[in-house]
Amino acid sequence: MSAAAAAMRPDVVDEGVQIAEKTAQKLDFSGMFLRAVPSSSFDFGFIINLDLSNNNLESIPESVMARLLNLIVLDLHSNQLKALPNSIGCLSKLRALNVCSNLLESVPKSIENCRALQELAANLNRLRELPETMGFELTCLQKLAVNCNKIAFLPKSTSYMTSLRVLDVRLNCLRSLPDGLERLVHLQVLNLAQNFHHLRSLPASLGLLVSLVDIDVSYNSITVLPDSLAGLARLRNLRADGNPLVRPPMEVVQESVDAVRKYLGSMEAGEAAAVRRRERRYNSWVQKLVTCGGGVGAGNVGVRGENDGYLLPSDYRSIDGPASPRYVGMFSPRRLFSPRRGTPARRLY
């Protein structure tokens, strides 16, 4: 009898259950070609680590998931799962969840109740989005890996995952990063590679991620790297090949991280100097305007004080111009083409 056929026999499964009950720690059903979770033989309450990877599971019963109250590690990768049960929210002690290489199109909102979760891996699925408010609850999450999906936007609450160390969103349809990323002060690895034509710019807030060591933004459509990246003192690896970079030039990026940091730092300093020059010119122009206004006379300018350089309401004079009623008759056709008084009319031949 082949190993695969033996693995599918109920007596073999029951034997594995008995061994797992003795250890009372880890239950390993990986690579057994299971189509359903064996749940009738024993109590799941004692399990701390459950491995159901590399099987043919299409679903996990709600009742089974709800009984895994002491579970810390759950590995479901490489199955045929199309959805996760809502009862996953009952796993209040869960720290690591691996659902990579399945057919998932969404993650249940109830995962927000897994507040002890530190690692979530959902690579190689069909995800288009993540629960919008998950970041408000999963504040202990240290690694979020969702590469090879169809995600266009990360949840706005991502910036509240303040314990995050690794964020992997490569090979998606990512268009932008959420606001408030400066809160992720512990983030060390950021992978945004291969979002191709979807990702065109990076926020300046990346320069405030003081713990960043590794950034990968290769194979996107980015033309400018934020000048604020010059302030990332711990940055050791920066990959940006495959982008139509203008600033900094690609040869600078390929040289070294220090070269990029120096280039962006000089650009940032140059822009700051340009702003100061514009401010000086503006202040000089305003001062000249005030000075010229002071030479007109007290009757036009009025009292000066905290409103210096501006006309007070008492100084307002109405403009008596051609649009006023007294001038309407002046431009009438009869007046313009009539002979002046006292001059004989010219004869037209």
Side-chain angles (χ1 to χ4, degrees), residues 227 230 247 261-281:
D227 295 339
R247 196 177 80 179
R261 191 182 289 115
K262 183 177 180 181
Y263 180 93
L264 295 177
S266 64
M267 296 299 296
E268 189 175 25
E271 289 183 357
V275 170
R276 289 195 295 271
R277 286 195 298 270
R278 286 196 295 270
E279 288 178 349
R280 284 197 296 269
R281 285 198 297 268

Side-chain angles (χ1 to χ4, degrees), residues 19 81 85 97 101 120 127 142-143 145 171-172 183 192 198 217 236 246 248 254 276 278 303 309 311 338:
I19 296 173
L81 296 174
L97 174 60
S101 301
L120 173 57
L127 297 175
Q142 297 182 15
K143 180 179 180 180
L171 280 165
N172 276 277
R183 298 189 186 96
L192 305 173
H198 299 286
V217 293
R236 294 293 175 266
V246 175
Q254 292 175 344
R276 289 195 295 271
R278 286 196 295 270
V303 180
L311 292 178
S338 298

Side-chain angles (χ1 to χ4, degrees), residues 127-241:
L127 297 175
R128 294 185 178 273
E129 60 182 5
L130 297 173
E132 188 59 37
T133 56
M134 64 181 289
F136 296 133
E137 305 297 338
L138 302 184
T139 55
C140 294
L141 196 66
Q142 297 182 15
K143 180 179 180 180
L144 177 59
V146 288
N147 66 63
C148 300
N149 282 284
K150 300 178 181 180
I151 297 174
F153 299 98
L154 290 173
K156 294 180 180 179
S157 60
T158 302
S159 60
Y160 289 88
M161 299 177 183
T162 51
S163 299
L164 207 60
R165 264 71 171 174
V166 178
L167 179 57
D168 184 358
V169 205
R170 69 182 187 272
L171 280 165
N172 276 277
C173 304
L174 197 67
R175 296 180 180 275
S176 64
L177 292 174
D179 296 332
L181 285 184
E182 61 273 9
R183 298 189 186 96
L184 305 182
V185 294
H186 299 294
L187 190 66
Q188 298 175 0
V189 178
L190 177 61
N191 196 331
L192 305 173
Q194 294 174 287
N195 283 280
F196 302 108
H197 65 279
H198 299 286
L199 188 59
R200 298 179 179 274
S201 63
L202 298 173
S205 57
L206 287 187
L208 300 176
L209 302 180
V210 294
S211 299
L212 268 181
V213 176
D214 191 304
I215 301 178
D216 191 345
V217 293
S218 56
Y219 297 100
N220 290 296
S221 297
I222 298 170
T223 56
V224 176
L225 294 181
D227 295 339
S228 59
L229 295 184
L232 298 178
R234 298 183 183 180
L235 190 64
R236 294 293 175 266
N237 299 306
L238 173 61
R239 290 178 290 278
D241 47 309

